[in-house]
Amino acid sequence: MAEDRTFSDMLRDQVRHGLTSAQQYLAAAVYFDAQRLPELAAQTYARSAANRGHAMRMVQYLLDREAGVTIGGLDEIRPEFDSPRAAIAFLLDRERTTTAQISALAATARESGDFLGEQFMQWFLREQIDDVAEMDTLLTVLDRQDNLFDVEEFIRRELTAAVPVDTTAPRMAGTA
């Protein structure tokens, strides 16, 4: 059971990381709003909500497994950026870090024989593929365009700010 506890401890840490990511995306969204970049703001507001949802799914899993969970403080949030490109590059780096954390969680569950934990983490692994790809696309578009109006137009035309409903997603704490 000590190995299962390790997975639970890591998952509790990931709840904090997820809530920190939600706040970081919120800070970036406010930065984009202040820069009068509504499409970039909409993308990051949506990512903030998605990251909060991910953390709440983990909370529900811990509650369902009677593993115990408390909500505490967050890690440091960066509220300002040198440019829109710097903000997206920073968020992409955070997504890559999150991918490594989620991968480590899945590996720990597998190594400890926690098949429920391993199965639970599969959904998050799929999400991370999409999250990294979306941020990488935004960074690529920002690198190709000198005019932020064109970036905004690309986002409006090609990307949706709304997070689609995923009926395969684990249940979130606080929802029916």
Side-chain angles (χ1 to χ4, degrees):
M1 279 309 207
E3 292 167 339
D4 182 44
R5 177 77 181 135
T6 300
F7 174 75
S8 295
D9 286 342
M10 290 173 68
L11 193 57
R12 284 183 200 96
D13 287 344
Q14 196 61 40
V15 168
R16 186 185 78 251
H17 295 311
L19 293 173
T20 298
S21 289
Q23 281 299 105
Q24 185 59 68
Y25 271 104
L26 180 59
V30 170
Y31 165 79
F32 290 130
D33 255 348
Q35 299 296 313
R36 305 300 188 254
L37 298 167
E39 298 298 332
L40 280 166
Q43 288 294 312
T44 48
Y45 280 125
R47 299 277 9 116
S48 175
N51 276 275
R52 182 186 180 281
H54 294 173
M56 297 310 290
R57 285 175 171 79
M58 292 174 188
V59 166
Q60 187 62 55
Y61 177 84
L62 289 165
L63 291 170
D64 288 346
R65 297 288 305 268
E66 297 181 0
V69 61
T70 58
I71 303 298
L74 301 175
D75 298 326
E76 186 175 341
I77 305 298
R78 182 174 170 187
E80 297 178 13
F81 303 93
D82 292 334
S83 67
R85 189 218 182 270
I88 295 299
F90 178 78
L91 294 171
L92 174 58
D93 186 53
R94 286 195 60 103
E95 287 296 347
R96 289 179 174 149
T97 298
T98 299
T99 299
Q101 293 165 337
I102 296 295
S103 295
L105 270 160
T108 298
R110 175 174 285 178
E111 290 164 7
S112 67
D114 183 350
F115 301 113
L116 294 174
E118 181 182 1
Q119 179 64 35
F120 177 70
M121 296 314 302
Q122 294 305 307
W123 184 84
F124 293 97
L125 289 168
R126 287 189 305 273
E127 281 290 295
Q128 281 309 120
I129 291 169
D130 293 341
D131 292 349
V132 169
E134 180 179 301
M135 297 312 293
D136 190 49
T137 296
L138 285 174
L139 187 60
T140 299
V141 169
L142 279 162
D143 284 343
R144 288 184 185 159
Q145 297 294 329
D146 293 330
N147 185 337
L148 287 174
F149 177 80
D150 292 336
V151 173
E152 287 282 288
E153 181 59 25
F154 170 83
I155 295 168
R156 188 195 60 71
R157 186 182 68 243
E158 301 294 331
L159 303 177
T160 177
V163 178
V165 174
D166 181 354
T167 58
T168 67
R171 188 169 59 99
M172 275 191 276
T175 62

